[in-house]
């Protein structure tokens, strides 16, 4: 999708050119100055009239009527240079991407150096562009009949820069890989429950394993029974669809050490079981495998980038249905770890499947754990729809995850697990744990419950119930699945060794 050039080609006609304009420049110079001369001062007049603006995110489309080698020029305001962060630049490029998509252009040239500042070098800018354009232009087609109107998609973005072509191209490609993994996660989240069962999720994982050379293991129900995965099996009891425990191994080091375990909740549809959700709450529960989608999106990017790290992905997948055989409140089940659990709420099923997944990840040698799940409505009440909730049992490991989220531009906020929350989770007259101590602090109890199975292994829990989907379109994507935390996980894996050395 991305091609890098060092020279302006005025000999052949291009569809469009994108140029950045900061508030630092009171008059047009450089490339814009050259274009202004070709347009006989027309750009300067538009700037004076306010039709072109350096205000951040303001975008002007100018038709050149054949007077330049570009049919159209898009002038993009970047605001004050000192306030243009990487995250803000991604939003600006997101708006550019959406505008290009609406303009139905096949290709575009971006004057990359016009977006460079003292704080953002050309490689940062290239990464931001490589990430933002595919994210902003992502579409989920769904199952509507298509119109006869031919589709026009943005297929080529030419990056114009005076800097090293290979370095700039590599940086843009990394951004593109981050976006591609995120978009794959979005598509998985958007798929209907009847189109994405646990078996479908396992088959998708097998496809990734084949493409990238991952070691693959898919446990069937009979194998889970032999291993004593009573928590996952309990959730599956009401379903006609078989459960799957999916394992992908990426070995980037010679020895299987310092293994980062990524654990995803893969509930392909959640009725709530006998603690059934209300009619308004049950719609949209096809997205309850958002954690699994995040892990698989991250594994796709890891397969492309091939970092020198060891990564283990474990996904526990089933749907949570109602039948005469379904598990029910007051049941007591035995998890793979041997800990018994009193069921007080069958709609608190995500933490149950994660309990067995975390235990299995540890058995496969995970030295560090991050679990990702659309786990609780409580985290939305606490943090809203833009911020992922996080919990941990290890300060140093949490700091690494937090730094990765900052670098990736994904908001995350830590919630506490104090001893009284652990005591509530351990408060059962008939079992070691209960799965739902109450509505107060519900997100924290869910995290504390999973922490009982992480035990001494450094662990971070990411509750993406609020961030896995968006109700409306935004700068970097449409409504629907967001692919939340894919880029954070990939960044975490990529910078892990570097952080350890420092």
């Amino acid at each position: 999708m991305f091609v890098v050039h060092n020279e302006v080609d005025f000999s052949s006609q291009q569809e469009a050119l994108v140029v950045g304009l900061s508030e630092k420049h009171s008059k047009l110079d450089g490339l814009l100055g050259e274009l202004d001369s070709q347009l006989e001062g027309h750009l300067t007049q538009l700037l004076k009239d306010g039709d072109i603006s350096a205000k951040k995110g303001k975008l002007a489309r100018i038709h050149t009527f054949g007077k330049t080698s570009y049919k159209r020029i898009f002038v993009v305001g970047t605001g004050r240079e000192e306030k243009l962060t990487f995250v803000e630049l991604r939003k600006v490029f997101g708006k550019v991407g959406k505008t290009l998509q609406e303009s139905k252009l096949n290709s575009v040239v971006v004057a990359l150096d016009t977006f460079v500042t003292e704080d953002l070098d050309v490689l940062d800018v290239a990464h931001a562009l490589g990430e933002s354009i595919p994210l902003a232009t992502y579409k989920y087609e769904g199952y509507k009949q298509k119109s006869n109107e031919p589709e026009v998609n943005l297929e080529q973005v030419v990056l114009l820069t005076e800097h090293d072509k290979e370095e700039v191209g590599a940086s843009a490609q990394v951004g593109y890989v981050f976006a591609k993994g995120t978009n794959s996660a979005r598509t998985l989240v958007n798929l209907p429950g009847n189109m994405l069962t646990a078996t479908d999720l396992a088959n998708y994982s097998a496809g990734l394993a084949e493409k990238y050379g991952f070691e693959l293991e898919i446990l069937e129900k009979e194998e889970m029974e032999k291993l004593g995965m009573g928590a996952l099996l309990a959730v599956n009891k009401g379903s006609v669809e078989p459960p799957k425990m999916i394992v992908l191994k990426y070995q980037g080091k010679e020895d299987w050490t310092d293994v980062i375990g990524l654990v995803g909740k893969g509930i392909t549809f959640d009725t709530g079981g006998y603690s059934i959700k209300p009619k308004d709450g049950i719609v949209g529960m096809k997205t309850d495998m958002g954690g699994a989608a995040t892990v698989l999106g991250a594994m796709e990017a890891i397969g492309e980038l091939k970092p020198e790290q060891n990564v283990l992905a474990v996904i526990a997948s089933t749907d949570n249905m109602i039948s005469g055989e379904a598990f029910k409140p007051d049941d007591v089940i035995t998890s793979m770890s041997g800990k018994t659990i009193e069921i007080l709420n069958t709609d608190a099923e995500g933490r149950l499947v994660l309990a067995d997944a975390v235990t299995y990840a540890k058995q496969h040698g995970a030295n560090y754990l991050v679990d990702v799940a659309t786990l609780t409505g409580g985290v939305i009440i606490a943090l809203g729809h833009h911020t992922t909730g996080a919990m941990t049992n290890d300060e140093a490991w949490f700091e690494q995850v937090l730094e990765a989220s900052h670098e990736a531009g994904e908001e995350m906020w830590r919630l506490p697990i104090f001893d009284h929350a652990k005591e509530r989770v351990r408060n059962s007259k008939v079992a070691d744990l209960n799965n739902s101590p109450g509505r107060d602090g519900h997100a924290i109890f869910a995290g504390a419950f999973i922490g009982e199975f992480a035990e001494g292994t450094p662990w971070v829990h990411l509750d993406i119930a609020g961030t896995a989907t968006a109700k409306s379109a935004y700068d970097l994507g449409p409504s629907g699945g967001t692919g939340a935390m894919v880029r954070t996980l990939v960044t975490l894996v990529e910078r892990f060794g570097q952080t350890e050395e420092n």
Side-chain angles (χ1 to χ4, degrees):
M1 185 179 192
F2 295 97
V3 180
V4 185
H5 286 177
N6 286 138
E7 295 179 1
V8 182
D9 181 13
F10 285 117
S11 62
S12 60
Q13 185 114 76
Q14 304 290 329
E15 284 195 65
L17 172 71
V18 176
V19 188
L21 179 65
S22 76
E23 291 182 9
K24 185 178 179 181
H25 298 97
S26 56
K27 62 178 184 178
L28 302 177
D29 53 18
L31 179 57
L32 273 175
E34 287 182 49
L35 293 166
D36 190 38
S37 297
Q38 292 178 25
L39 291 169
E40 300 169 357
H42 187 56
L43 294 181
T44 297
Q45 190 59 50
L46 288 173
L47 185 62
K48 287 178 181 176
D49 293 342
D51 294 307
I52 293 175
S53 171
K55 186 178 178 182
K56 188 170 64 183
K58 184 74 183 292
L59 199 150
R61 181 186 320 177
I62 298 140
H63 290 272
T64 65
F65 301 105
K67 291 184 179 181
T68 79
S69 58
Y70 301 98
K71 293 179 183 177
R72 307 166 191 82
I73 300 170
F74 294 88
V75 181
V76 188
T78 57
R80 292 169 59 182
E81 283 196 2
E82 64 272 18
K83 290 195 173 182
L84 186 65
T85 63
F86 181 82
V87 172
E88 289 301 312
L89 181 60
R90 283 195 322 156
K91 292 179 183 177
V92 170
F93 281 147
K95 287 182 179 178
V96 170
K98 284 180 178 286
T99 302
L100 295 174
Q101 186 180 50
E102 290 162 7
S103 302
K104 297 185 176 180
L105 299 175
N106 279 114
S107 65
V108 65
V109 178
V110 178
L112 206 65
D113 297 347
T114 61
F115 295 92
V116 173
T117 69
E118 285 186 18
D119 296 325
L120 292 171
D121 65 25
V122 70
L123 300 184
D124 292 327
V125 174
H127 181 110
L129 182 73
E131 196 174 295
S132 303
I133 298 290
L135 288 176
T137 56
Y138 168 81
K139 288 184 291 185
Y140 175 65
E141 298 296 345
Y143 300 92
K144 288 185 176 183
Q145 292 186 5
K146 293 185 178 179
S147 67
N148 294 325
E149 188 178 339
E151 278 193 28
V152 180
N153 295 312
L154 186 63
E155 293 174 359
Q156 186 183 70
V157 179
V158 177
L159 309 183
L160 192 61
T161 179
E162 294 178 355
H163 297 83
D164 186 276
K165 284 168 57 173
E166 286 190 12
E167 287 186 1
V168 170
S171 192
Q173 180 62 23
V174 170
Y176 177 72
V177 167
F178 275 49
K180 192 166 169 286
T182 303
N183 285 342
S184 294
R186 288 172 167 179
T187 298
L188 288 172
V189 170
N190 289 332
L191 283 167
N194 62 326
M195 302 288 188
L196 187 72
T197 63
T199 299
D200 294 324
L201 206 57
N203 291 339
Y204 180 91
S205 304
L208 287 182
E210 184 177 355
K211 183 174 182 179
Y212 297 113
F214 299 145
E215 187 180 322
L216 172 71
E217 180 185 37
I218 298 171
L219 294 183
E220 304 295 341
K221 187 174 182 179
E222 296 76 16
E223 295 167 290
M224 295 179 206
E225 288 169 345
K226 288 176 185 174
L227 290 168
M229 293 183 175
L232 171 55
L233 289 169
V235 178
N236 178 252
K237 279 182 71 177
S239 179
V240 295
E241 292 287 343
K244 304 286 179 181
M245 183 68 84
I246 303 161
V247 180
L248 294 172
K249 283 185 179 180
Y250 166 78
Q251 188 161 346
K253 293 182 177 182
E254 191 173 331
D255 299 317
W256 190 242
T257 56
D258 288 332
V259 179
I260 300 170
L262 307 179
V263 180
K265 171 187 171 184
I267 301 295
T268 58
F269 192 84
D270 183 17
T271 66
Y274 275 107
S275 306
I276 192 167
K277 294 177 182 290
K279 63 179 182 180
D280 293 334
I282 205 169
V283 175
M285 283 301 106
K286 66 178 185 178
T287 67
D288 209 19
M289 35 57 65
T294 292
V295 169
L296 290 173
M299 289 303 291
E300 178 183 326
I302 288 163
E304 291 280 352
L305 297 172
K306 297 179 172 55
E308 293 182 7
Q309 308 297 341
N310 292 328
V311 185
L312 172 75
V314 179
I315 291 166
S317 187
T318 178
D319 48 10
N320 183 22
M321 305 297 284
I322 301 171
S323 78
E325 295 182 352
F327 80 135
K328 53 196 181 297
D330 291 338
D331 282 1
V332 174
I333 63 175
T334 304
S335 67
M336 185 186 185
S337 71
K339 292 179 180 178
T340 55
I341 305 163
E342 180 184 12
I343 303 302
L344 300 181
N345 179 2
T346 61
D347 195 21
E349 87 298 330
R351 67 202 71 177
L352 299 177
V353 303
L354 287 171
D356 282 348
V358 163
T359 300
Y360 201 50
K362 286 162 61 180
Q363 285 195 8
H364 270 284
N367 304 109
Y368 304 88
L369 291 166
V370 180
D371 82 77
V372 194
T374 49
L375 208 62
T376 65
V379 81
I380 303 174
I381 301 301
L383 299 176
H385 287 278
H386 297 286
T387 309
T388 292
M391 280 159 266
T392 191
N393 64 359
D394 187 279
E395 296 293 332
W397 180 229
F398 175 75
E399 281 301 316
Q400 290 199 48
V401 178
L402 182 63
E403 286 174 23
S405 74
H406 281 313
E407 191 171 317
E410 297 190 286
E411 290 181 15
M412 185 176 103
W413 194 259
R414 181 177 172 182
L415 298 172
I417 302 179
F418 291 114
D419 285 344
H420 56 77
K422 296 177 184 178
E423 288 165 9
R424 290 276 294 274
V425 168
R426 295 167 184 165
N427 182 22
S428 170
K429 293 180 179 178
V430 294
D432 299 319
L433 308 169
N434 79 81
N435 80 325
S436 186
R439 289 180 62 83
D440 58 319
H442 187 62
I444 292 171
F445 295 140
F449 181 91
I450 300 165
E452 293 290 315
F453 299 87
E455 296 175 311
T457 304
W459 156 80
V460 170
H461 163 61
L462 299 176
D463 192 336
I464 59 170
T467 54
T469 56
K471 290 183 179 178
S472 56
Y474 54 106
D475 290 337
L476 290 173
S479 60
T482 62
M485 306 313 283
V486 168
R487 285 163 289 145
T488 293
L489 294 187
V490 180
T491 304
L492 174 70
V493 169
E494 280 212 307
R495 75 199 307 278
F496 175 75
Q498 171 191 335
T499 307
E500 287 289 288
E501 287 166 15
N502 297 339

